Amino acid sequence: MYLLDTTSTAAISIYALLLAAYRSMQVLYTRPINGPAVSAEPIETRAPLPAVDVIVPSFNEDPGILSACLASIADQDYPGELRVYVVDDGSRNREAIVRVHDFYSRDPRFTFILLPENVGKRKAQIAAIGQSSGELVLNVDSDSTIAFDVVSKLVSKMRNPEVGAAMGQLTASNRSDTWLTRLIDMEYWLACNEERAAQARFGAVMCCCGPCAMYRRSALAALLDQYETQLFRGKPSD
């Protein structure tokens, strides 16, 4: 029993040391090379602006939450071409969702895709990507709202042809409710401003956030088949 306790203490101590070292290196490499990491160059409106396709996959979403998401996209200040593809992935509450679709269908920028059955987020995204043609693709989760200048800021980063993807800063909308939501919001901040910022220094961010991430279509096209058919422990990862 004593040996087991000693082993457990040693393992925890080693883990704590490794974690401290990892966090320290992460903070070190997070430091921006040239100015604040979140700065965005103003878009030169006289230069040709890339077309942006916004893809919103949705499954059994609350109509009010979906409406808020679509409203935030409709209110973007981006001066270039913006198209929005909303994919309903076989929702069971489609009757309520369709009423939201009807409201935003008055906006010619919006296209709605109704899948007959639930096929998973990946295939829902791919269904929209197949119908779209913009140079840049922005994925927005149906339970998220984005600031009015998100598209403009992300596009400004994508003007660098070496950048394949850019992501937004996540904030929990209910962060002030409980200690748990505060911790969730803190995790979002660390993931965006430390972990991924440190990875970006090496040009190899392992994962862009699902709620708000912009990709270059040429980069997506080369990987869509792998994305759709990826397996985890021998089972489809959908």
Side-chain angles (χ1 to χ4, degrees), residues 37-57:
V38 295
S39 65
E41 298 82 6
I43 292 179
E44 178 56 63
T45 54
R46 288 176 293 180
L49 293 173
V52 177
D53 294 330
V54 184
I55 294 178
V56 184

Side-chain angles (χ1 to χ4, degrees), residues 136 157-158 160-166 208 214-217 219-220:
L136 302 176
K157 296 300 182 185
M158 300 294 287
N160 181 348
E162 294 185 357
V163 175
C208 288
M214 179 176 285
Y215 302 90
R216 197 175 302 282
R217 179 177 293 274
L220 276 181

Side-chain angles (χ1 to χ4, degrees), residues 17-224:
L17 288 172
L18 290 174
L19 181 61
Y22 171 75
R23 287 293 186 182
S24 298
M25 293 299 293
Q26 186 170 277
V27 171
L28 174 64
Y29 282 102
T30 295
R31 293 183 302 175
I33 300 173
N34 297 311
V38 295
S39 65
E41 298 82 6
I43 292 179
E44 178 56 63
T45 54
R46 288 176 293 180
L49 293 173
V52 177
D53 294 330
V54 184
I55 294 178
V56 184
S58 173
F59 176 63
N60 291 342
E61 189 60 83
D62 177 272
I65 292 176
L66 177 62
S67 182
C69 171
L70 302 186
S72 71
I73 297 171
D75 291 340
Q76 291 298 298
D77 68 352
Y78 184 60
E81 184 177 2
L82 185 73
R83 295 183 293 260
V84 187
Y85 295 84
V86 184
V87 187
D88 183 78
D89 187 17
S91 294
R92 292 186 292 272
N93 62 340
R94 179 167 287 179
E95 184 177 343
I97 293 296
V98 166
R99 289 197 288 269
V100 177
H101 294 181
D102 290 342
F103 179 83
Y104 286 96
S105 63
R106 305 167 192 171
D107 188 328
R109 298 174 298 174
F110 280 76
T111 297
F112 295 91
I113 302 171
L114 304 180
L115 301 181
E117 60 182 4
N118 178 241
V119 294
K121 182 178 181 179
R122 294 185 185 220
K123 286 183 171 59
Q125 291 172 318
I126 290 171
I129 292 172
Q131 293 193 24
S132 63
S133 59
E135 179 183 341
L136 302 176
V137 177
L138 173 64
N139 184 80
V140 177
D141 281 354
S142 59
D143 62 351
S144 303
T145 58
I146 58 177
F148 73 95
D149 57 351
V150 162
V151 172
S152 294
K153 285 185 174 181
L154 292 179
V155 168
S156 74
K157 296 300 182 185
M158 300 294 287
R159 299 303 288 269
N160 181 348
E162 294 185 357
V163 175
M167 56 175 276
Q169 165 68 59
L170 303 184
T171 302
S173 60
N174 61 343
R175 58 189 177 280
S176 300
D177 289 359
T178 67
W179 64 268
L180 178 59
T181 57
R182 287 188 179 92
L183 288 174
I184 291 172
D185 186 65
M186 183 184 299
E187 172 61 23
Y188 286 159
W189 191 95
L190 291 172
C192 295
N193 293 282
E194 283 194 2
E195 184 179 50
R196 289 175 173 89
Q199 293 169 2
R201 287 285 292 269
F202 299 94
V205 176
M206 290 190 290
C207 177
C208 288
C209 64
C212 180
M214 179 176 285
Y215 302 90
R216 197 175 302 282
R217 179 177 293 274
S218 57
L220 276 181
L223 298 170
L224 275 186

